[in-house]
Amino acid sequence: MNTIQNTIQGQNKKIGSQVSIKRVGQIGENIATRLIKEQGYTILDRNYRKKIGEIDIIAEKNGVILFFEVKTAYLREGEPKSFQWIFLEEKITPRKQGKIRKVAMLYLNEK
């Protein structure tokens, strides 16, 4: 089992059967942050908010700044296995991408 699966397995035990969408998102962002750090990146900011939008994680490595949008989903007990494979990148619409670009520019202009 790889690092991501081990991390998710451990988090699943903490989730329980009743959990809010917000909490699932927080768990996903925590997992993503840990994995980004393991790749040698420095976390510069989390949940960077402006009126027009938010960026979940901002990280830097070797002078390159990356902006991460984290999408998290999990399979609840009793759900059909057909829901197991969801391509979360499809959830980041062109409109959302535009907002991320605008917020990223605001972040860079502040630094």
Side-chain angles (χ1 to χ4, degrees):
M1 201 177 283
N2 67 33
T3 303
I4 295 172
Q5 289 172 327
N6 285 335
T7 304
I8 292 170
Q9 289 275 341
Q11 290 294 330
N12 281 345
K13 291 175 187 169
K14 295 177 187 175
I15 290 176
S17 61
Q18 297 294 320
V19 65
S20 71
I21 292 171
K22 183 176 180 179
R23 180 67 184 134
V24 170
Q26 289 170 342
I27 290 168
E29 288 179 18
N30 290 341
I31 292 169
T33 297
R34 187 176 323 143
L35 294 173
I36 292 165
K37 285 180 179 179
E38 286 176 5
Q39 296 299 312
Y41 290 87
T42 300
I43 304 300
L44 301 176
D45 213 331
R46 285 188 62 181
N47 303 114
Y48 178 79
R49 296 178 202 275
K50 290 295 178 185
K51 286 185 180 183
I52 60 169
E54 174 193 21
I55 296 176
D56 295 326
I57 303 169
I58 302 171
E60 182 270 335
K61 181 178 180 181
N62 299 327
V64 177
I65 297 176
L66 298 172
F67 300 90
F68 294 87
E69 173 68 14
V70 179
K71 293 292 183 191
T72 309
Y74 73 100
L75 184 64
R76 292 186 179 110
E77 287 184 37
E79 286 185 354
K81 295 290 183 194
S82 61
F83 289 110
Q84 195 165 8
W85 297 107
I86 301 170
F87 297 100
L88 296 177
E89 63 269 13
E90 294 174 359
K91 301 291 184 185
I92 304 173
T93 63
R95 181 176 178 200
K96 178 69 175 176
Q97 291 173 27
K99 285 185 176 188
I100 292 169
R101 275 192 291 278
K102 288 176 185 175
V103 176
M105 291 305 296
L106 291 171
Y107 178 86
L108 293 172
N109 288 332
E110 285 181 4
K111 303 301 171 193

